[in-house]
Amino acid sequence: MWQHVAKPRVEKIRVPLPDDTWAVTQMLRLDELHVLMSGNKVFKLLPNIVAAKAAGAKGLLTFGGAFSNHIHATAAAGHHFNIPTIGVIRDTGAPQTPTLKDAVLWGMQLHRVDRQTYRRRHDPEWLETLQRQYPGFMVIPEGGSNDLALQGCCELGEYIAELDIDHVLLACGTGATARGVALGLRANQQVHAVAVLPGITREIEALSKIGAVCWENYHAGGYATLTDTIRQCVTNFEAANAIRIDPVYTAKMLWAASDLFHKSELVAERTLLVHTGGLQGRRGRPDVFAPQGNNRACT
């Protein structure tokens, strides 16, 4: 794993609290891992790439929406490792997004499907049809979350385990990153997973079974939704720390941190916040984030 990316650094940061005071804590900067491949997606993808190469697969086939961090990261990884990639894209009929433009630039073949068809992405019969259409391609599920991804995230957890902290706070979508990190930590360390969308009951149950704490009240309604409170929290944080935040995952984790520190649910000095990357997604939210430089490279 570590021969492909630099080990992430930990940075002391200030988190704005609701009462206009600040909490001092620390952040793991996964957004700095690689010039193209950024964030927790690296730990999910690299084990899959190693397995694909070992199996002699023709390439990688995966799933995502028009602004998907996973699609973006998979295309970047394919470009970096010279592996063909196919993205099965949930087509909303909107013009091609910056995310998909990058993916095509990096050589990804886009296979667009309507929303109804996309809902079958876990259907074995449809997956078999796709594999007949693209023989020899290794299928990676939406979000990159499979057993191999779990192993990669466990390596991240083992790295975090060496740090002098008690709690790890990170965003949770499919739950693979949080589960992997939890499995790699020491027994006296604990993962706190912030759900970024509602309805992920199965993922939360899996996390609870391994001792993780799940916070379900900070999703603001779904992946792409942000409240004025979250926007202000991110704006204040970025101004104080000169660190950019993505609108889907880390923004909601940051809001949760602000509230949990304020309520003394977590001790800031003993908690590590995980910046899971995804900065390319800022381009999909011009209402929140003004463009800043080359977001394509996720730096």
Side-chain angles (χ1 to χ4, degrees):
M1 176 72 69
W2 300 113
Q3 67 268 32
H4 298 296
V5 293
K7 289 189 176 181
R9 69 187 179 97
V10 176
E11 181 174 348
K12 186 174 285 189
I13 58 169
R14 298 170 67 216
V15 174
L17 302 185
D19 59 0
D20 294 327
T21 61
W22 298 82
V24 177
T25 186
Q26 48 196 332
M27 175 174 278
L28 187 68
R29 299 291 304 278
L30 300 187
D31 57 309
E32 297 180 329
L33 279 177
H34 190 275
V35 68
L36 294 181
M37 299 177 292
S38 169
N40 61 319
K41 305 301 182 186
V42 171
F43 296 92
K44 292 182 176 184
L45 283 169
L46 286 180
N48 279 281
I49 289 169
V50 171
K53 283 181 170 289
K58 288 184 179 178
L60 306 175
L61 183 148
T62 195
F63 307 81
F67 286 97
S68 166
N69 287 330
H70 172 63
I71 288 292
H72 195 267
T74 302
H79 174 74
H80 181 75
F81 290 102
N82 195 29
I83 298 174
T85 56
I86 296 171
V88 180
I89 307 300
R90 183 181 64 250
D91 193 352
T92 62
Q96 186 139 298
T97 65
T99 300
L100 297 183
K101 288 178 181 178
D102 286 350
V104 171
L105 179 67
W106 290 327
M108 175 175 273
Q109 178 181 343
L110 303 184
H111 179 110
R112 295 176 178 270
V113 297
D114 58 33
R115 287 182 176 272
Q116 183 175 354
T117 303
Y118 189 82
R119 293 191 188 101
R120 299 183 63 194
R121 62 193 179 279
H122 304 300
D123 180 351
E125 184 177 341
W126 188 54
L127 292 177
E128 186 177 335
T129 299
L130 284 172
Q131 291 198 294
R132 285 198 302 268
Q133 186 173 353
Y134 303 107
F137 276 74
M138 177 175 165
V139 175
I140 299 176
E142 181 184 47
S145 297
N146 55 15
D147 289 343
L148 290 168
L150 199 64
Q151 293 173 23
C153 293
C154 186
E155 285 194 44
L156 175 60
E158 291 168 353
Y159 174 72
I160 294 173
E162 299 174 5
L163 304 176
D164 183 24
I165 50 97
D166 297 326
H167 303 285
V168 181
L169 187 69
L170 74 169
C172 172
T174 63
T177 302
R179 279 189 293 138
V181 167
L183 292 172
L185 294 180
R186 301 193 307 266
N188 64 334
Q189 296 173 318
Q190 189 172 43
V191 160
H192 292 253
V194 178
V196 298
L197 72 164
I200 54 172
T201 305
R202 183 175 61 181
E203 291 80 0
I204 288 171
E205 288 176 351
L207 284 164
S208 298
K209 286 179 181 177
I210 59 174
V213 177
C214 300
W215 300 96
E216 302 178 59
N217 298 323
Y218 298 101
H219 56 69
Y223 265 136
T225 56
L226 291 172
T227 64
D228 290 341
T229 302
I230 299 174
R231 291 187 181 96
Q232 192 60 56
C233 181
V234 170
T235 298
N236 293 344
F237 174 85
E238 293 190 341
N241 297 280
I243 298 173
R244 291 185 293 156
I245 297 297
D246 82 282
V248 176
Y249 294 94
T250 308
K252 292 178 180 179
M253 181 278 294
L254 182 65
W255 177 41
S258 174
D259 191 53
L260 294 171
F261 292 158
H262 179 63
K263 294 176 178 176
S264 299
E265 298 276 4
L266 287 174
V267 177
E269 293 82 359
R270 303 298 302 165
T271 301
L272 178 73
L273 309 188
V274 180
H275 190 321
T276 47
L279 294 180
Q280 67 88 24
R282 292 169 67 100
R283 300 171 299 177
R285 296 305 305 268
D287 59 318
V288 183
F289 302 109
Q292 297 180 34
N294 180 17
N295 283 324
R296 187 182 70 203
C298 303
T299 56

